[in-house]
Amino acid sequence: MWRYIVKRLIALVIVLLCVAVIIFCVLWFMPGDPAEIILGMSVPEADREALRIKMGWNDPFLLQLGRYMRDVFLHLDFGDSYQYKVPVSQGFMERLPRTLTLGLISVFIQTVIGIPLGVSAAIHRNTLQDQGLLVFAMVFISVPQFWFALMMVVLFSVKLGWLPPFGIGSWKHWIMPIIANSISGIAMNARQTRSAVLETIRSDFVTTARAKGLPEGKVIYKHMLPNALIPVINGLGMQLSMCVGGTVVIESVFSFPGVGNYMLNGINGLDYPVVRGCVLILAAVSAVMTLVVDLVYGFLDPRIKAQYVNYAAKKGAKKAA
Amino acid sequence: MKHPEHHEQKRKKQSQFLEVLKRLARKPSAMIGLCIFIAVILVCALAPVFAPYDPNYMDYTAINATPSAAHLCGCDNLGRDILSRLIYGGRYSLSLGFTCALIGMFFGLAFGTLVGYSGGAVDNVAMRICDIWMAIPGMLLCIILSAALGNGIPQTIVAMTMGGIPGSIRGTRAMALRERNMEYLEAAKAMNCSKAKILYKHMLPNIVAPTIIGTTGQIGGTIMQAAGLSFIGLGIQPPTPEWGAMCSAGRNFILTYPHLMLWPGVAILITVLSINMFGDGLRDAMDPRLKD
């Protein structure tokens, strides 16, 4: 098990190194001159040139790349934001808790609403409830998130005046972003759960349990669900690892002061350190979450744990043969 | 050199295809989805016939006009007829969705099968590249690529395809891995087929069908993603009447004239919904386990 964790951690570091190089290269092609953004067009060209030299923007590509990699991976220094003049890591960490809260609450809601909906629809198959859920899920999987969010703003903020349209402050500000962020996830979880449960209903072990004369409730909760929910839980892990990177558009709609908006402002302001830092840290956060989720599975599902443990042994056996 | 078994198999395959079509035709939701989608494509393709006005004609007497008999969806802040812009804009949104999904599918099929079939070092290297690629969350990758490449249709296509390719390579690879141990491939190998022939003549046809289903499911998502990109100010920008860009432009008037962004969203919703309904039906029809 430990070997597996160490191996995954090493892979993680290598992946992040490559991601940093890729992001640096991609942003290298970004059009626009940050010196114009920082100093404006009113100062003489010589001043801008001086700034470029001071910041090292005229240096060869490889030199700049090397400097960036050294700062990031040896000193954990993502540079200073051109716009806000504070270190990127500080600006990021100020906003991360908000994005993380938004993402985690959304995943939580997707789970506690989506899965029971799917289970009950599957158990009452072909009833009105089931059909209704399918229609609901279909519509909310197909609705564009940002549009749904803005329509909510029109209804609840403009027409009814119940909720504040944007910004952050009281708990009321969180309601619409969370709903907008989780509605399609609820629909997806419900659908996936429904089809997973339907598949299990047909299994032989369910028939056996019924044949033994178990009460229906016991058949469902003790025999069917633990097996049916394995793929759903797998999907949940994916949602967890994506939850911090997936809120950019919603944050933009609600002017939510989170990481996504920080990055978008960085893009609009040619604030390279901010964009690079955000993407890199978000990639790291989602990679770490994926790792944790994988490890948790190992403890939950004995079959997966067996894979980790036997991996080394199997490999040795293969080599010998 | 045509064996009777060969004929038999061919006939069986065809009847299987017909069976799938029959099952598909019995699904009302899939048929409704297909009809709506075909209607949307027709209306957008024949935009000059269906659009009541020129999408760029500005009628200064009708600025921000609410829906009426003359302008069914109203007019935008420059007095342009929203319905006409939607019809012309559908061309951009639909072709974006299709192009990205198809390019992604092509790369997935070409590399996924190759990698899955080769196995060993090739597979290992390719999967590590995919790991790195997928370490950046999909939407973020689209956003920074789109920001780096700039606004415009080809740039947006590249940005969105790049985000989707590793996923489709992985999906096809998984299928190729499953097919790899099938007996028919062993038979082909025993008959001394070249690797290319085994890959593209024997294995690919078995992978194409499920991949097409997967891709159908993705078109809707791609259209929404493109709209999302345009909405946050990347991708395709006004005055191009792309649906996401229209939402983005209408956003400034959300408090006073919500109809400016209501209709583009409805257009996206209807299109994506119809594609998803059809895609779902197709998947169910192809899945023999769900035959009942």
Side-chain angles (χ1 to χ4, degrees), chain A residues 15 18-19 22-23 26-27 29-31 125 138-139 141-147 150-151 154 158-159 191 199 202 242 245 248-249 252-254 263-264 267 275 279 282-283 286, chain B residues 131-132 135-140 143-145 147-150 224 227-228 231-232 234 244 247 251 254-255 258 261-266 268-269 272-273 276-277 280 283 289-290 292:
Chain A
V15 165
C18 299
V19 167
I22 292 173
I23 296 166
V26 168
L27 290 185
F29 292 104
M30 203 154 131
R125 200 188 173 191
M138 204 48 166
V139 170
I141 283 174
S142 313
V143 74
Q145 245 186 1
F146 63 88
W147 179 77
L150 276 169
M151 287 301 119
V154 170
V158 182
K159 293 260 178 333
R191 260 165 57 119
E199 225 157 81
R202 267 178 288 231
M242 300 302 281
V248 182
V249 177
S252 155
V253 170
F254 290 105
M263 190 184 87
L264 278 185
I267 288 177
V275 184
V279 179
L282 285 178
S286 94
Chain B
D131 279 347
I132 294 166
I136 309 175
M139 190 65 192
L140 287 190
I143 289 174
I144 60 164
L145 279 173
L149 296 170
M224 278 205 284
F231 179 75
I232 56 177
L234 302 161
C247 282
R251 182 185 181 182
I254 185 88
L255 297 180
M261 76 163 289
L262 172 71
W263 298 112
V266 171
I268 300 173
L269 175 61
V272 175
L273 190 61
N276 283 348
M277 278 161 74
D280 254 33
R283 200 193 53 211
R289 280 175 309 173
L290 298 172
D292 53 295

Coordinates of all heavy atoms in Angstrom, one line a residue, chain A residues 15 18-19 22-23 26-27 29-31 125 138-139 141-147 150-151 154 158-159 191 199 202 242 245 248-249 252-254 263-264 267 275 279 282-283 286, chain B residues 131-132 135-140 143-145 147-150 224 227-228 231-232 234 244 247 251 254-255 258 261-266 268-269 272-273 276-277 280 283 289-290 292:
Chain A
V15 N 3.8 14.8 -13.2 CA 2.7 15.4 -14.0 C 2.6 16.9 -13.8 O 2.5 17.7 -14.7 CB 1.3 14.7 -13.6 CG1 0.2 15.5 -14.0 CG2 1.3 13.3 -14.1
C18 N 5.2 18.7 -15.8 CA 4.9 18.8 -17.2 C 3.7 19.9 -17.4 O 3.8 20.6 -18.3 CB 4.4 17.5 -17.7 SG 5.7 16.2 -17.6
V19 N 2.8 19.8 -16.5 CA 1.7 20.8 -16.6 C 2.2 22.2 -16.5 O 1.8 23.1 -17.3 CB 0.6 20.6 -15.5 CG1 -0.4 21.7 -15.4 CG2 -0.2 19.3 -15.7
I22 N 3.7 23.1 -19.8 CA 2.6 23.2 -20.8 C 2.0 24.6 -20.7 O 1.8 25.3 -21.6 CB 1.6 22.1 -20.8 CG1 2.2 20.8 -21.2 CG2 0.4 22.4 -21.7 CD1 1.4 19.6 -21.0
I23 N 1.6 24.9 -19.4 CA 0.9 26.2 -19.2 C 1.8 27.4 -19.7 O 1.3 28.3 -20.3 CB 0.5 26.3 -17.8 CG1 -0.5 25.3 -17.4 CG2 -0.2 27.7 -17.5 CD1 -0.7 25.2 -15.9
V26 N 1.8 27.5 -23.4 CA 0.5 28.0 -24.0 C 0.4 29.5 -23.8 O 0.0 30.2 -24.7 CB -0.7 27.3 -23.3 CG1 -2.0 28.0 -23.6 CG2 -0.7 25.8 -23.7
L27 N 0.7 30.0 -22.6 CA 0.5 31.4 -22.3 C 1.5 32.3 -23.1 O 1.3 33.5 -23.2 CB 0.5 31.7 -20.8 CG -0.7 31.2 -20.1 CD1 -0.7 31.6 -18.6 CD2 -2.0 31.7 -20.7
F29 N 2.0 32.1 -26.0 CA 1.4 32.6 -27.3 C 0.3 33.6 -27.1 O -0.3 34.0 -28.0 CB 0.8 31.3 -28.0 CG 1.9 30.4 -28.5 CD1 2.1 29.2 -27.9 CD2 2.6 30.8 -29.6 CE1 3.1 28.4 -28.3 CE2 3.6 29.9 -30.1 CZ 3.9 28.8 -29.4
M30 N 0.0 33.9 -25.8 CA -1.1 34.8 -25.6 C -0.8 36.1 -26.1 O 0.3 36.7 -25.8 CB -1.4 34.8 -24.1 CG -2.8 35.3 -23.8 SD -3.3 34.6 -22.2 CE -4.0 36.1 -21.5
P31 N -1.7 36.7 -27.0 CA -1.4 38.0 -27.5 C -1.5 39.1 -26.5 O -2.1 38.9 -25.4 CB -2.4 38.2 -28.6 CG -3.6 37.3 -28.2 CD -3.0 36.2 -27.4
R125 N -40.2 1.7 -11.1 CA -39.9 1.8 -12.5 C -41.2 2.0 -13.3 O -42.2 1.3 -13.0 CB -39.2 0.6 -13.0 CG -38.5 0.9 -14.3 CD -37.9 -0.2 -15.0 NE -37.4 0.2 -16.3 CZ -37.0 -0.6 -17.2 NH1 -37.0 -1.9 -17.0 NH2 -36.6 -0.1 -18.4
M138 N -33.4 14.9 -18.1 CA -33.0 15.2 -19.4 C -33.0 16.7 -19.6 O -32.0 17.2 -20.3 CB -34.2 14.6 -20.3 CG -33.7 14.3 -21.7 SD -32.2 13.4 -21.6 CE -32.1 12.9 -23.2
V139 N -33.9 17.4 -19.1 CA -34.0 18.9 -19.3 C -32.8 19.5 -18.6 O -32.0 20.3 -19.2 CB -35.3 19.5 -18.8 CG1 -35.2 21.0 -18.7 CG2 -36.4 19.0 -19.6
I141 N -29.9 18.2 -17.8 CA -28.6 17.9 -18.3 C -28.4 18.8 -19.6 O -27.2 19.1 -19.9 CB -28.5 16.4 -18.7 CG1 -28.3 15.6 -17.4 CG2 -27.4 16.1 -19.7 CD1 -28.4 14.1 -17.6
S142 N -29.4 19.2 -20.2 CA -29.3 19.9 -21.5 C -29.3 21.4 -21.3 O -29.2 22.1 -22.3 CB -30.4 19.5 -22.4 OG -30.6 18.1 -22.5
V143 N -29.6 21.9 -20.1 CA -29.7 23.3 -19.9 C -28.3 23.9 -19.7 O -27.5 23.4 -19.0 CB -30.7 23.7 -18.8 CG1 -30.0 23.4 -17.4 CG2 -31.1 25.1 -18.8
P144 N -28.0 25.0 -20.4 CA -26.7 25.6 -20.2 C -26.6 26.3 -18.8 O -27.5 27.0 -18.5 CB -26.6 26.7 -21.3 CG -27.8 26.6 -22.2 CD -28.8 25.7 -21.5
Q145 N -25.6 25.9 -18.1 CA -25.5 26.4 -16.7 C -25.6 27.9 -16.5 O -26.4 28.4 -15.7 CB -24.1 25.9 -16.1 CG -24.2 24.9 -15.1 CD -22.8 24.6 -14.5 OE1 -21.8 25.2 -14.9 NE2 -22.8 23.8 -13.5
F146 N -24.8 28.6 -17.3 CA -24.8 30.0 -17.2 C -26.1 30.7 -17.4 O -26.6 31.6 -16.8 CB -23.7 30.7 -18.0 CG -24.0 30.5 -19.5 CD1 -24.7 31.4 -20.2 CD2 -23.4 29.4 -20.2 CE1 -24.9 31.3 -21.6 CE2 -23.7 29.3 -21.6 CZ -24.4 30.2 -22.2
W147 N -26.8 30.1 -18.4 CA -28.2 30.7 -18.8 C -29.2 30.4 -17.7 O -29.9 31.3 -17.3 CB -28.6 30.0 -20.1 CG -29.9 30.5 -20.6 CD1 -30.2 31.7 -21.2 CD2 -31.2 29.8 -20.5 NE1 -31.5 31.7 -21.5 CE2 -32.2 30.6 -21.0 CE3 -31.5 28.5 -20.0 CZ2 -33.5 30.2 -21.1 CZ3 -32.9 28.2 -20.0 CH2 -33.8 29.0 -20.6
L150 N -28.6 32.8 -14.9 CA -29.1 34.2 -15.1 C -30.6 34.2 -15.1 O -31.2 35.2 -14.7 CB -28.5 34.7 -16.5 CG -27.1 35.2 -16.3 CD1 -26.5 35.5 -17.6 CD2 -27.2 36.5 -15.5
M151 N -31.2 33.1 -15.6 CA -32.7 33.1 -15.5 C -33.2 33.1 -14.1 O -34.2 33.7 -13.7 CB -33.2 31.9 -16.3 CG -33.1 32.0 -17.8 SD -34.0 33.4 -18.4 CE -32.7 34.3 -19.2
V154 N -33.0 36.6 -12.9 CA -34.2 37.4 -13.4 C -35.4 37.1 -12.5 O -36.1 38.0 -12.1 CB -34.5 37.0 -14.9 CG1 -35.8 37.6 -15.3 CG2 -33.4 37.5 -15.8
V158 N -34.7 39.9 -9.7 CA -35.3 41.1 -10.4 C -36.8 41.1 -10.1 O -37.4 42.0 -9.7 CB -35.0 41.1 -11.9 CG1 -35.6 42.3 -12.5 CG2 -33.5 41.0 -12.1
K159 N -37.5 39.9 -10.4 CA -38.9 39.9 -10.4 C -39.4 39.8 -8.9 O -40.3 40.5 -8.5 CB -39.4 38.7 -11.2 CG -39.2 38.9 -12.7 CD -40.5 39.4 -13.4 CE -40.4 39.6 -14.8 NZ -39.2 40.0 -15.5
R191 N -29.8 10.0 -12.9 CA -29.9 9.1 -14.1 C -29.0 7.9 -13.9 O -29.3 6.8 -14.2 CB -29.5 9.9 -15.3 CG -30.7 10.3 -16.1 CD -30.3 11.3 -17.1 NE -29.2 10.8 -18.0 CZ -29.4 10.7 -19.3 NH1 -30.5 11.1 -19.9 NH2 -28.4 10.2 -20.0
E199 N -29.9 -2.2 -13.4 CA -29.1 -3.3 -13.9 C -29.0 -4.3 -12.8 O -29.0 -5.5 -13.0 CB -27.7 -2.7 -14.3 CG -27.2 -3.3 -15.5 CD -26.2 -2.4 -16.1 OE1 -25.0 -2.5 -15.7 OE2 -26.5 -1.6 -17.0
R202 N -31.9 -6.9 -12.0 CA -32.0 -8.1 -12.8 C -31.0 -9.2 -12.3 O -31.0 -10.3 -12.9 CB -31.8 -7.8 -14.2 CG -33.0 -7.5 -14.9 CD -32.7 -7.1 -16.4 NE -32.2 -5.8 -16.4 CZ -32.6 -4.8 -17.2 NH1 -33.6 -5.0 -18.0 NH2 -32.1 -3.6 -17.1
M242 N -13.2 17.3 -9.8 CA -13.4 18.3 -10.7 C -14.0 19.6 -10.1 O -14.2 20.6 -10.7 CB -14.4 17.9 -11.9 CG -13.9 16.7 -12.7 SD -12.3 17.0 -13.5 CE -12.8 18.0 -14.8
G245 N -12.3 23.0 -10.3 CA -12.0 23.6 -11.6 C -13.2 23.9 -12.4 O -13.1 24.6 -13.5
V248 N -15.8 28.0 -12.9 CA -15.4 29.2 -13.5 C -16.6 30.0 -14.1 O -16.8 31.2 -13.8 CB -14.4 29.0 -14.6 CG1 -13.9 30.3 -15.2 CG2 -13.2 28.2 -14.1
V249 N -17.4 29.4 -14.9 CA -18.5 30.1 -15.5 C -19.5 30.6 -14.5 O -20.0 31.7 -14.6 CB -19.2 29.2 -16.6 CG1 -20.3 29.9 -17.2 CG2 -18.2 28.8 -17.6
S252 N -18.3 33.5 -12.8 CA -18.4 34.7 -13.6 C -19.8 35.3 -13.6 O -20.0 36.5 -13.6 CB -17.9 34.4 -15.0 OG -18.4 35.2 -16.0
V253 N -20.8 34.4 -13.7 CA -22.2 34.9 -13.7 C -22.5 35.7 -12.4 O -23.1 36.7 -12.5 CB -23.1 33.7 -13.8 CG1 -24.6 34.2 -13.6 CG2 -23.0 33.1 -15.2
F254 N -22.1 35.1 -11.3 CA -22.5 35.8 -10.0 C -21.5 36.7 -9.5 O -21.6 37.1 -8.3 CB -22.9 34.7 -9.0 CG -24.1 33.9 -9.3 CD1 -24.0 32.6 -9.8 CD2 -25.3 34.4 -9.2 CE1 -25.1 31.9 -10.2 CE2 -26.5 33.7 -9.5 CZ -26.4 32.5 -10.0
M263 N -9.0 33.9 -12.0 CA -8.3 33.5 -13.2 C -8.8 34.3 -14.4 O -8.0 34.7 -15.2 CB -8.4 32.0 -13.4 CG -7.5 31.5 -14.5 SD -7.8 29.8 -14.7 CE -9.2 29.8 -15.9
L264 N -10.1 34.4 -14.5 CA -10.7 35.1 -15.6 C -10.2 36.6 -15.7 O -9.9 37.1 -16.7 CB -12.2 35.1 -15.6 CG -12.9 33.8 -16.1 CD1 -14.4 34.0 -16.1 CD2 -12.4 33.5 -17.5
I267 N -6.9 36.6 -17.1 CA -6.8 36.4 -18.5 C -7.1 37.8 -19.2 O -6.4 38.2 -20.1 CB -7.8 35.4 -19.0 CG1 -7.3 34.0 -18.6 CG2 -8.0 35.4 -20.5 CD1 -8.2 32.9 -19.0
V275 N -2.8 33.7 -14.0 CA -3.4 32.6 -14.8 C -2.6 31.3 -14.6 O -3.1 30.3 -14.4 CB -3.4 33.0 -16.3 CG1 -4.1 31.9 -17.1 CG2 -4.1 34.3 -16.5
V279 N -4.1 27.9 -12.8 CA -4.3 26.7 -13.5 C -3.4 25.6 -12.8 O -3.9 24.5 -12.6 CB -3.9 26.8 -15.0 CG1 -4.1 25.5 -15.7 CG2 -4.8 27.8 -15.6
L282 N -4.8 24.7 -9.4 CA -6.1 23.9 -9.5 C -5.8 22.5 -10.0 O -6.4 21.6 -9.5 CB -7.0 24.7 -10.5 CG -7.7 25.9 -9.9 CD1 -8.6 26.5 -11.0 CD2 -8.6 25.5 -8.7
A283 N -4.9 22.4 -11.0 CA -4.5 21.1 -11.4 C -4.0 20.2 -10.3 O -4.3 19.0 -10.1 CB -3.5 21.1 -12.5
S286 N -6.8 19.2 -7.9 CA -7.7 18.1 -8.4 C -6.9 16.8 -8.5 O -7.5 15.8 -8.3 CB -8.3 18.5 -9.8 OG -7.5 18.1 -10.8
Chain B
D131 N -2.5 11.4 -19.1 CA -2.6 11.7 -17.7 C -2.2 13.2 -17.5 O -2.9 14.0 -16.8 CB -1.6 10.9 -16.8 CG -2.2 9.5 -16.5 OD1 -3.4 9.4 -16.8 OD2 -1.4 8.7 -16.1
I132 N -1.1 13.6 -18.1 CA -0.6 15.0 -18.0 C -1.7 15.9 -18.6 O -2.0 16.9 -18.0 CB 0.7 15.1 -18.7 CG1 1.8 14.3 -18.0 CG2 1.1 16.6 -18.8 CD1 3.1 14.2 -18.8
A135 N -4.6 16.3 -16.5 CA -4.4 16.9 -15.2 C -5.0 18.3 -15.1 O -5.4 18.7 -14.0 CB -3.0 16.8 -14.8
I136 N -5.0 19.0 -16.2 CA -5.7 20.3 -16.2 C -7.1 20.1 -16.4 O -7.5 19.5 -17.5 CB -5.1 21.2 -17.3 CG1 -3.6 21.2 -17.3 CG2 -5.6 22.6 -17.2 CD1 -2.9 21.9 -18.4
P137 N -8.0 20.5 -15.5 CA -9.4 20.3 -15.7 C -9.9 20.8 -17.0 O -9.5 21.8 -17.5 CB -10.1 21.1 -14.5 CG -9.0 21.1 -13.5 CD -7.7 21.1 -14.2
G138 N -10.8 20.0 -17.7 CA -11.2 20.3 -19.1 C -11.5 21.7 -19.4 O -11.0 22.3 -20.4
M139 N -12.4 22.2 -18.6 CA -12.9 23.6 -18.9 C -11.8 24.6 -18.8 O -11.6 25.5 -19.6 CB -14.1 24.0 -18.0 CG -14.8 25.2 -18.3 SD -15.7 25.1 -19.9 CE -16.1 26.8 -20.3
L140 N -10.9 24.4 -17.8 CA -9.7 25.3 -17.6 C -8.8 25.3 -18.8 O -8.4 26.3 -19.3 CB -8.9 24.9 -16.4 CG -9.5 25.2 -15.0 CD1 -8.5 25.0 -14.0 CD2 -10.0 26.6 -15.0
I143 N -10.3 27.2 -21.6 CA -10.2 28.6 -21.3 C -8.9 29.1 -21.6 O -8.7 30.1 -22.3 CB -10.7 28.9 -19.9 CG1 -12.1 28.6 -19.7 CG2 -10.3 30.3 -19.5 CD1 -12.6 28.8 -18.3
I144 N -7.8 28.5 -21.1 CA -6.5 29.1 -21.3 C -6.1 28.9 -22.8 O -5.4 29.8 -23.4 CB -5.4 28.6 -20.4 CG1 -5.2 27.1 -20.5 CG2 -5.6 29.0 -19.0 CD1 -3.9 26.7 -19.9
L145 N -6.4 27.8 -23.4 CA -6.1 27.7 -24.9 C -6.8 28.8 -25.7 O -6.3 29.4 -26.6 CB -6.5 26.3 -25.4 CG -5.5 25.2 -25.1 CD1 -6.1 23.9 -25.5 CD2 -4.2 25.5 -25.8
A147 N -7.8 31.6 -24.6 CA -7.3 32.9 -24.3 C -6.0 33.1 -25.1 O -5.6 34.2 -25.6 CB -7.0 33.0 -22.8
A148 N -5.2 32.0 -25.2 CA -3.9 32.1 -25.9 C -4.0 32.2 -27.4 O -3.3 33.0 -28.0 CB -3.0 30.9 -25.5
L149 N -5.0 31.5 -27.9 CA -5.2 31.5 -29.4 C -5.9 32.7 -29.9 O -5.9 33.1 -31.0 CB -5.9 30.2 -29.8 CG -5.1 28.9 -29.6 CD1 -6.0 27.7 -29.8 CD2 -3.9 28.9 -30.4
G150 N -6.8 33.3 -29.0 CA -7.6 34.4 -29.4 C -9.0 34.0 -29.8 O -9.3 32.8 -29.8
M224 N -22.9 23.3 -25.6 CA -23.0 24.0 -24.3 C -21.7 24.6 -23.9 O -21.6 25.7 -23.4 CB -23.5 23.1 -23.2 CG -25.0 23.0 -23.3 SD -25.7 22.6 -21.7 CE -25.3 20.9 -21.6
A227 N -20.8 27.6 -26.0 CA -21.6 28.7 -25.6 C -21.1 29.3 -24.3 O -21.0 30.5 -24.1 CB -23.1 28.3 -25.4
G228 N -20.6 28.4 -23.4 CA -20.1 28.9 -22.1 C -18.8 29.7 -22.3 O -18.6 30.7 -21.7
F231 N -19.7 32.9 -23.7 CA -20.3 33.7 -22.6 C -19.4 34.4 -21.7 O -19.6 35.6 -21.4 CB -21.2 32.8 -21.8 CG -22.0 33.5 -20.7 CD1 -23.1 34.3 -21.0 CD2 -21.5 33.4 -19.4 CE1 -23.7 35.0 -20.0 CE2 -22.2 34.1 -18.4 CZ -23.3 34.9 -18.7
I232 N -18.2 33.8 -21.4 CA -17.3 34.4 -20.5 C -16.3 35.3 -21.2 O -15.3 35.8 -20.7 CB -16.5 33.5 -19.6 CG1 -15.8 32.4 -20.4 CG2 -17.4 32.8 -18.6 CD1 -15.0 31.5 -19.6
L234 N -14.6 34.6 -24.1 CA -13.6 34.0 -25.0 C -14.4 33.3 -26.1 O -15.5 33.6 -26.3 CB -12.8 32.9 -24.2 CG -12.1 33.5 -23.0 CD1 -11.8 32.4 -22.0 CD2 -10.9 34.2 -23.4
G244 N -24.0 31.5 -27.6 CA -23.4 31.9 -26.4 C -23.0 33.4 -26.4 O -23.2 34.1 -25.4
C247 N -26.0 35.4 -25.7 CA -26.3 35.5 -24.3 C -25.4 36.5 -23.6 O -25.8 37.3 -22.7 CB -26.1 34.1 -23.6 SG -27.4 32.9 -23.9
R251 N -26.5 39.9 -21.6 CA -26.3 39.9 -20.1 C -26.3 41.3 -19.5 O -26.8 41.5 -18.4 CB -25.0 39.2 -19.8 CG -24.6 39.1 -18.4 CD -23.2 38.5 -18.4 NE -22.8 38.3 -17.0 CZ -21.6 37.9 -16.8 NH1 -20.7 37.6 -17.8 NH2 -21.2 37.7 -15.5
I254 N -29.8 42.4 -18.6 CA -30.5 41.4 -17.9 C -31.6 42.0 -17.0 O -32.6 41.4 -16.8 CB -29.6 40.4 -17.2 CG1 -30.3 39.3 -16.5 CG2 -28.8 41.1 -16.1 CD1 -30.5 38.1 -17.4
L255 N -31.2 43.1 -16.4 CA -32.1 43.7 -15.4 C -33.3 44.3 -16.1 O -34.4 44.4 -15.5 CB -31.4 44.7 -14.5 CG -30.3 44.1 -13.7 CD1 -29.6 45.2 -12.9 CD2 -30.8 43.0 -12.8
P258 N -34.7 41.2 -20.1 CA -34.3 39.8 -20.0 C -34.5 39.0 -21.3 O -33.9 38.0 -21.5 CB -35.0 39.3 -18.8 CG -36.1 40.2 -18.5 CD -35.7 41.5 -19.1
M261 N -31.5 37.7 -23.5 CA -30.8 36.5 -23.3 C -31.6 35.3 -23.1 O -31.1 34.2 -23.0 CB -29.7 36.7 -22.3 CG -30.0 36.7 -20.9 SD -28.5 36.4 -20.0 CE -28.2 34.7 -20.3
L262 N -32.9 35.5 -23.0 CA -33.8 34.4 -22.8 C -33.8 33.5 -24.0 O -33.6 32.3 -23.9 CB -35.3 34.9 -22.5 CG -36.3 33.8 -22.5 CD1 -36.2 33.0 -21.2 CD2 -37.7 34.4 -22.6
W263 N -34.0 34.1 -25.2 CA -34.2 33.2 -26.4 C -32.9 32.5 -26.8 O -33.0 31.3 -27.2 CB -34.8 34.1 -27.5 CG -36.1 34.6 -27.1 CD1 -36.5 35.9 -26.9 CD2 -37.3 33.8 -26.8 NE1 -37.8 36.0 -26.5 CE2 -38.3 34.7 -26.4 CE3 -37.6 32.5 -26.9 CZ2 -39.6 34.3 -26.1 CZ3 -38.9 32.0 -26.5 CH2 -39.8 32.9 -26.2
P264 N -31.7 33.1 -26.8 CA -30.6 32.3 -27.2 C -30.4 31.1 -26.3 O -30.1 30.0 -26.8 CB -29.4 33.2 -27.0 CG -30.0 34.6 -27.0 CD -31.4 34.5 -26.6
G265 N -30.7 31.2 -25.0 CA -30.6 30.1 -24.1 C -31.7 29.0 -24.4 O -31.4 27.8 -24.4
V266 N -32.9 29.5 -24.8 CA -33.9 28.5 -25.1 C -33.5 27.8 -26.4 O -33.6 26.5 -26.5 CB -35.3 29.3 -25.4 CG1 -36.3 28.3 -26.0 CG2 -35.8 29.8 -24.1
I268 N -30.4 27.1 -27.3 CA -29.4 26.1 -26.9 C -30.1 24.9 -26.2 O -29.8 23.7 -26.5 CB -28.4 26.7 -25.9 CG1 -27.6 27.8 -26.6 CG2 -27.4 25.6 -25.5 CD1 -26.7 28.6 -25.6
L269 N -31.0 25.2 -25.3 CA -31.7 24.2 -24.6 C -32.4 23.2 -25.5 O -32.3 22.0 -25.4 CB -32.7 24.8 -23.6 CG -33.6 23.8 -22.8 CD1 -32.7 22.9 -22.0 CD2 -34.5 24.6 -21.9
V272 N -29.8 21.1 -27.6 CA -29.0 20.1 -26.8 C -30.0 19.0 -26.4 O -29.7 17.9 -26.4 CB -28.3 20.8 -25.7 CG1 -27.7 19.8 -24.8 CG2 -27.3 21.8 -26.2
L273 N -31.2 19.5 -26.0 CA -32.2 18.5 -25.5 C -32.5 17.5 -26.6 O -32.5 16.3 -26.3 CB -33.4 19.2 -25.0 CG -34.5 18.4 -24.3 CD1 -33.9 17.9 -23.0 CD2 -35.7 19.3 -24.0
N276 N -29.6 15.1 -27.1 CA -29.5 14.2 -26.0 C -30.6 13.1 -26.0 O -30.3 12.0 -25.7 CB -29.5 14.9 -24.6 CG -28.1 15.6 -24.4 OD1 -27.2 15.3 -25.1 ND2 -28.1 16.5 -23.4
M277 N -31.8 13.5 -26.3 CA -32.9 12.6 -26.4 C -32.6 11.5 -27.4 O -32.7 10.3 -27.2 CB -34.2 13.3 -26.7 CG -34.9 13.9 -25.5 SD -36.1 15.2 -25.9 CE -37.4 14.2 -26.5
D280 N -29.6 9.3 -26.3 CA -30.0 8.3 -25.3 C -30.7 7.2 -25.9 O -30.5 6.0 -25.6 CB -31.0 9.0 -24.3 CG -30.3 9.3 -23.0 OD1 -29.1 9.6 -23.1 OD2 -31.0 9.3 -22.0
R283 N -28.4 4.9 -27.7 CA -27.6 4.1 -26.8 C -28.4 2.9 -26.3 O -27.9 1.8 -26.3 CB -27.1 5.0 -25.6 CG -25.9 4.4 -24.9 CD -25.7 5.1 -23.6 NE -26.9 5.1 -22.9 CZ -27.2 6.1 -22.0 NH1 -26.4 7.1 -21.9 NH2 -28.3 6.0 -21.3
R289 N -28.6 -5.5 -23.7 CA -29.1 -5.8 -22.3 C -30.4 -5.1 -22.0 O -31.2 -5.5 -21.1 CB -28.1 -5.5 -21.3 CG -26.9 -6.5 -21.2 CD -25.9 -6.0 -20.3 NE -25.5 -4.6 -20.6 CZ -24.7 -3.9 -19.9 NH1 -24.2 -4.3 -18.8 NH2 -24.4 -2.7 -20.3
L290 N -30.7 -4.0 -22.7 CA -31.9 -3.2 -22.4 C -33.0 -3.5 -23.4 O -33.8 -2.7 -23.6 CB -31.5 -1.7 -22.4 CG -30.5 -1.3 -21.4 CD1 -30.1 0.2 -21.6 CD2 -31.0 -1.4 -20.0
D292 N -35.7 -5.2 -23.4 CA -37.1 -5.4 -23.1 C -37.9 -4.1 -23.4 O -37.5 -3.0 -23.5 CB -37.3 -5.7 -21.6 CG -36.6 -4.7 -20.7 OD1 -35.3 -4.7 -20.8 OD2 -37.2 -4.0 -19.9

